[in-house]
Amino acid sequence: MGMKAAGDPHPVRPGRPHRPRWPLWPLPLLAGLLPLLGTLVAWRLSIAQGLAPDCNPFIDGCTSISRAARHGLPNILFRALLLPAAVLQALAWLLCPAWLRGLGDGPERALRLLPTLGVLAAAFLVLYGSFLGTEGDGYRWMRRYGIVLYFGFTCIGMLVVADQAHRRLQQHPEAAGRARHLSGALLALCAALPLLGLAHVLLPLALGPGDAAKDMLENITEWWAGAIFTTFFLVLAWAWRGTGFGARFSGRR
């Protein structure tokens, strides 16, 4: 049994049945929607159970994603959706090089990095999710560095995908406007990341010193970064669907 990913139709050999292509865009779609759903469900349940304050975390920074999903049923549901999402995200990163090659020629070295970056990001997301809600300094360390390294490797992967998509589409002036729009959307998401980091550095100067202000800013940054990552996978799904990226399965003896 084999699988071949492709971004454009392949000719059918005479005398052989045509094998339908299975669209792959639902994979990054679920990779983005599952953690989003898990976060929203855990957050609303935590509010209902009095485990988190009722506020807008994107503006007020009243709680972090981790605190909203740390205890009880919210924790169980959050991890139940987050852990399979990590696997789906790893698969999406592994398939990204094939999709990018289908857009046009470009440097291969960057594409060879993507599978490693994606698997590392997914592994650290699993580490974070597995120990969320546990007690102890060692578990706390694994949670903290798990999410930090997940964010870091995901950011690098996003930059590589956006840059490669843009470079490869630039070689084809006849590319459809839709394809150019998706390239611009990926680049815009990557531009939002350094802006978020800049706000994280500069806002404490306006808010003044204090642990409360620091915690609030870290919470806001975490929520917005999570939203950017979710949007990236949703845009990637849109891109794969718009460019006809799919896979054909074949059986060999």
Side-chain angles (χ1 to χ4, degrees):
M1 175 71 71
M3 180 185 77
K4 184 173 184 180
D8 54 357
H10 293 278
V12 180
R13 295 181 183 178
R16 299 192 64 179
H18 174 69
R19 293 190 301 270
R21 179 188 301 160
W22 296 90
L24 292 172
W25 60 265
L27 194 152
L29 179 68
L30 289 174
L33 287 180
L34 285 182
L36 172 63
L37 180 61
T39 300
L40 293 178
V41 168
W43 173 50
R44 295 310 303 177
L45 276 176
S46 292
I47 292 174
Q49 296 178 3
L51 300 172
D54 189 0
C55 67
N56 186 339
F58 289 94
I59 298 174
D60 302 324
C62 54
T63 188
S64 66
I65 295 175
S66 299
R67 291 193 189 99
R70 187 168 293 173
H71 303 290
L73 182 60
N75 175 262
I76 295 171
L77 294 177
F78 179 74
R79 291 197 295 172
L81 293 172
L82 183 71
L83 296 178
V87 177
L88 293 174
Q89 290 185 14
L91 291 174
W93 290 120
L94 289 171
L95 288 168
C96 268
W99 171 64
L100 289 167
R101 290 187 184 101
L103 298 181
D105 296 328
E108 285 293 313
R109 185 176 180 182
L111 297 191
R112 287 195 291 268
L113 278 175
L114 273 177
T116 302
L117 290 171
V119 170
L120 286 172
F124 283 113
L125 185 59
V126 169
L127 179 68
Y128 162 77
S130 297
F131 291 100
L132 183 63
T134 56
E135 300 297 334
D137 292 338
Y139 297 145
R140 190 178 303 113
W141 184 90
M142 284 188 278
R143 287 197 307 271
R144 175 174 291 274
Y145 284 94
I147 197 62
V148 167
L149 291 172
Y150 164 71
F151 277 17
F153 285 121
T154 302
C155 285
I156 298 171
M158 287 173 57
L159 290 169
V160 172
V161 170
D163 175 67
Q164 289 298 308
H166 179 70
R167 286 172 182 263
R168 291 163 192 265
L169 286 172
Q170 285 293 101
Q171 300 174 12
H172 302 283
E174 74 283 359
R178 186 176 183 181
R180 295 191 177 277
H181 289 327
L182 68 88
S183 174
L186 291 172
L187 288 172
L189 289 171
C190 290
L193 290 172
L195 291 176
L196 188 64
L198 189 62
H200 186 76
V201 172
L202 295 180
L203 280 178
L205 301 177
L207 295 173
D211 291 338
K214 181 181 177 182
D215 288 344
M216 180 188 72
L217 185 58
E218 286 184 354
N219 293 342
I220 292 173
T221 302
E222 182 178 309
W223 282 91
W224 279 105
I228 291 171
F229 291 166
T230 294
T231 306
F232 170 80
F233 283 104
L234 299 184
V235 172
L236 189 63
W238 172 48
W240 286 13
R241 186 175 186 272
T243 54
F245 184 54
R248 287 195 178 99
F249 294 85
S250 61
R252 296 179 182 177
R253 294 181 179 179

